[in-house]
Amino acid sequence: MQIFLKIKQKKRPSKIYWLNINTHPIVAHNVSFDRKFLVHYGWLDEEYECYDSVRAIKYANPHLFSYSLAYLVSFYELEKTLNHIALDDVKALYEVIKRAAPTSWIPLYKVKPKQLNHIVESIARIEEESTIFQGKTIVFTGASPFPRVLMKEIASKCGAKVTGSVSSKTDYLICGEKPGSKLEKARELNVEVRTDVWFLDAVSDEINLNTASIERNRIPIQNRPTEEPINPYKKLEEFKGKTVNIACMSNRIQKQVEEILLNMEVGGLNKGSNGYKVDLIIYNDKGEYVLLEKAEQMNIPAISLSKFNKMIL
């Protein structure tokens, strides 16, 4: 596939650039938005391989307060300025991914069939849980209610080599509806032909998807009756007894930070935008706040949210 981009420039003729993405998956921050745009204009097939860096980074580090690109640039202390120019943001994301070093990537899929409920989120961690297709070469073909990109990912995690065409080296052709010429080729070469349902049943039986012990990174559920919740954050002694202003952040993050600070036994919390009588201010990155200007005049220390996040991990 080739994507053509037409760029209009002032006082210059329009230029058309093309990008060949035939053999490369698309990775983007909140890739679902980009995918909808590309599919809508016919630049991308429905089944093209797309990965969301937000999700991958959450798997690598599940205890950040935000996963916006701007926040991640600050958290990983990158010397990048986000100006919402596409290529610059792509370069910034590339640097973020290198720092975050995510190892679990789940492909974006169009739908979530009920038959896949037990594997969709677990797929990132099923490597070495099953070797049912170890050393096998598999080809998928035909229309299917099961997202092809997800099926290919499952096969790869279970040891298979997934290819796009049938040959004498193919072990299985997994068919949906209207398989076309690939089915004919498989029959000519005596390649074993199976259905999507057979494939999923084989994987399910092998690793018992309902009860498989899949390792996951997740924020612990609070108030579990059988065990104490795990607190992933450090208890910093330098905050003990201090009065901290946390007004300059969203309500959702404010509640989370409040709980963390109370666990550190701070002397008090101030949520007012005019709360100057404090020892410290924690503020949301990239925000322009009058409170911070006043704090600077009064020599009140201020810590960005990303820096605070880094301190407690």
Side-chain angles (χ1 to χ4, degrees):
M1 171 185 297
Q2 292 178 344
I3 288 182
F4 291 84
L5 302 178
K6 186 173 183 180
I7 302 175
K8 292 185 178 179
Q9 299 174 322
K10 291 182 179 179
K11 298 181 181 180
R12 293 182 183 180
S14 296
K15 291 186 177 181
I16 297 178
Y17 300 89
W18 62 268
L19 174 65
N20 191 329
I21 58 173
N22 261 328
T23 58
H24 304 286
I26 291 177
V27 175
H29 221 53
N30 191 20
V31 76
S32 58
F33 173 82
D34 301 276
R35 179 186 173 280
K36 286 178 183 177
F37 176 83
L38 294 171
V39 170
H40 176 77
Y41 285 101
W43 293 346
L44 201 69
D45 295 332
E46 285 277 1
E47 297 295 339
Y48 198 86
E49 200 169 359
C50 298
Y51 293 89
D52 186 7
S53 51
V54 174
R55 175 182 281 188
I57 293 169
K58 279 184 179 180
Y59 278 119
N61 195 339
H63 303 300
L64 301 188
F65 297 136
S66 172
Y67 293 90
S68 72
L69 186 55
Y71 186 84
L72 293 169
V73 166
S74 296
F75 181 83
Y76 290 109
E77 299 176 349
L78 299 175
E79 295 181 1
K80 293 283 184 182
T81 300
L82 294 180
N83 49 22
H84 302 295
I85 296 175
L87 187 56
D88 289 345
D89 286 1
V90 167
K91 290 178 180 178
L93 178 58
Y94 174 67
E95 294 299 327
V96 165
I97 290 174
K98 286 202 298 184
R99 294 292 182 90
T103 57
S104 299
W105 294 85
I106 299 177
L108 189 74
Y109 40 86
K110 184 180 177 182
V111 294
K112 181 180 176 181
K114 291 180 180 179
Q115 293 93 329
L116 295 179
N117 280 347
H118 299 296
I119 196 170
V120 167
E121 291 299 331
S122 300
I123 183 177
R125 302 288 182 178
I126 66 173
E127 283 180 301
E128 298 180 3
E129 288 284 337
S130 171
T131 56
I132 186 172
F133 297 118
Q134 188 69 44
K136 302 294 184 181
T137 299
I138 294 178
V139 176
F140 291 90
T141 188
S144 173
F146 307 107
R148 281 287 175 240
V149 66
L150 192 60
M151 300 279 279
K152 292 175 182 178
E153 186 77 2
I154 294 170
S156 296
K157 296 289 186 182
C158 292
K161 176 183 178 182
V162 180
T163 64
S165 58
V166 177
S167 72
S168 58
K169 296 181 180 180
T170 304
D171 294 290
Y172 295 105
L173 176 67
I174 309 300
C175 290
E177 297 178 4
K178 300 179 181 178
S181 60
K182 288 183 182 179
L183 178 58
E184 295 175 10
K185 184 71 172 178
R187 286 171 174 167
E188 289 176 12
L189 298 173
N190 293 320
V191 171
E192 188 168 349
V193 178
R194 294 289 186 171
T195 65
D196 291 330
V197 174
W198 173 88
F199 172 80
L200 287 174
D201 284 346
V203 176
S204 298
D205 291 343
E206 173 76 3
I207 65 175
N208 192 7
L209 290 179
N210 292 313
T211 59
S213 57
I214 308 298
E215 178 191 357
R216 295 190 191 178
N217 292 324
R218 63 173 70 177
I219 297 175
I221 299 172
Q222 301 298 320
N223 301 319
R224 290 181 181 176
T226 56
E227 58 181 277
E228 290 295 321
I230 300 171
N231 186 348
Y233 303 113
K234 295 177 185 175
K235 190 174 182 179
L236 303 177
E237 289 299 320
E238 59 262 41
F239 283 85
K240 188 174 182 179
K242 298 287 181 66
T243 300
V244 184
N245 183 295
I246 56 173
C248 302
M249 59 186 73
S250 68
N251 290 334
R252 178 187 65 80
I253 297 176
Q254 190 180 79
K255 290 178 182 178
Q256 193 175 356
V257 171
E258 179 180 0
E259 184 177 340
I260 292 167
L261 290 172
L262 289 174
N263 188 52
M264 294 182 186
E265 301 178 26
V266 294
L269 289 173
N270 190 311
K271 300 180 185 179
S273 59
N274 295 317
Y276 305 122
K277 295 181 180 180
V278 296
D279 300 300
L280 177 71
I281 295 174
I282 300 176
Y283 65 94
N284 192 32
D285 296 67
K286 308 299 181 183
E288 296 181 4
Y289 304 103
V290 175
L291 178 63
L292 294 181
E293 296 176 6
K294 185 71 174 179
E296 186 175 3
Q297 296 171 9
M298 300 176 67
N299 294 318
I300 299 173
I303 300 176
S304 69
L305 187 63
S306 63
K307 183 177 180 180
F308 176 69
N309 203 167
K310 205 175 190 71
M311 290 170 65
I312 61 179
L313 285 176

